[in-house]
Amino acid sequence: MQPPPVVSRITCISIVGKQNNPLHIAVFSPPNAPRSADPDPSILLNYHFLTHTTLDIFALRLPQKTADQDFGLLYAVSEDLAAYGWLTNTGVKFVVFVSCVGVGGGVREGELRPVFKELQTAYIALVCNPFYDNDNVEKKPIKSKKFIAEVKRIGESWVPSSALAAAGSSGSEFGSRDVRRDVVI
């Protein structure tokens, strides 16, 4: 009997302000689940709680880390869910939750770096937009439809390199798409 295949996917992306306030939380359904406009409130609340639990780990590791750095695995939430983090030089934190179902599941060191770089690029484009209300960007949840769509695209398009290798692709974690494309907010 063969072990089940390893399926890793992003289940949630959280963006937390420098005051440790959640700016945006995007939850992603499994690929075969029916699409709905809003996630189940209990699942959203669960990821909201899990996001807040990662803040203690950021605080503990901050003296050893410099800003604008990959914090790597923050902690394993369960057997099949892990939280990874990134801290920008302005104190904004990106947290990505990855579900790893199957034998040998997990994410290799640096495999989420392109995800964090794209999230940071989208966030920079948001705060540099002269038409966006930057006075409240650190205080209120992000409402920009283009930013929310970009976060959704990033979360849904990520494929672990192990899956690409199994499929025989030589592209990046985002398939053959160019990761350095311009983000319009």
Side-chain angles (χ1 to χ4, degrees):
M1 177 179 239
Q2 292 208 351
V6 175
V7 180
S8 295
R9 65 178 186 84
I10 293 176
T11 58
C12 177
I13 294 177
S14 300
I15 301 167
V16 181
K18 60 183 165 188
Q19 306 293 322
N20 290 337
N21 54 319
L23 299 175
H24 181 67
I25 297 178
V27 177
F28 304 101
S29 303
N32 55 1
R35 301 273 177 188
S36 65
D38 294 322
D40 180 14
S42 64
I43 293 173
L44 187 60
L45 183 62
N46 186 38
Y47 279 111
H48 197 278
F49 170 74
L50 291 172
T51 298
H52 275 286
T53 61
T54 63
L55 299 178
D56 292 333
I57 299 164
F58 275 106
L60 286 172
R61 291 188 188 171
L62 194 55
Q64 292 88 21
K65 298 277 190 176
T66 60
D68 201 21
Q69 191 172 33
D70 185 357
F71 272 53
L73 176 67
L74 297 175
Y75 72 100
V77 178
S78 64
E79 287 181 5
D80 62 346
L81 186 66
Y84 296 86
W86 181 278
L87 178 68
T88 68
N89 58 354
T90 58
V92 175
K93 299 159 197 81
F94 300 120
V95 180
V96 174
F97 293 92
V98 177
S99 173
C100 306
V101 179
V103 178
V107 178
R108 290 188 213 138
E109 183 72 28
E111 200 166 13
L112 286 170
R113 193 164 288 138
V115 172
F116 289 124
K117 290 286 189 182
E118 280 211 21
L119 287 170
Q120 188 169 13
T121 300
Y123 185 77
I124 289 169
L126 174 73
V127 297
C128 290
N129 184 343
F131 300 106
Y132 190 74
D133 184 13
N134 285 328
D135 294 333
N136 291 321
V137 76
E138 281 295 319
K139 299 174 186 138
K140 294 182 180 177
I142 296 171
K143 300 291 185 193
S144 168
K145 290 179 183 177
K146 290 186 179 182
F147 177 80
I148 292 169
E150 181 65 9
V151 170
K152 182 178 179 182
R153 183 200 63 79
I154 292 167
E156 290 177 345
S157 64
W158 178 76
V159 179
S161 61
S162 58
L164 289 173
S169 173
S170 60
S172 70
E173 283 80 1
F174 292 97
S176 60
R177 190 178 310 171
D178 184 11
V179 176
R180 295 166 291 172
R181 66 179 189 66
D182 291 332
V183 177
V184 180
I185 304 296

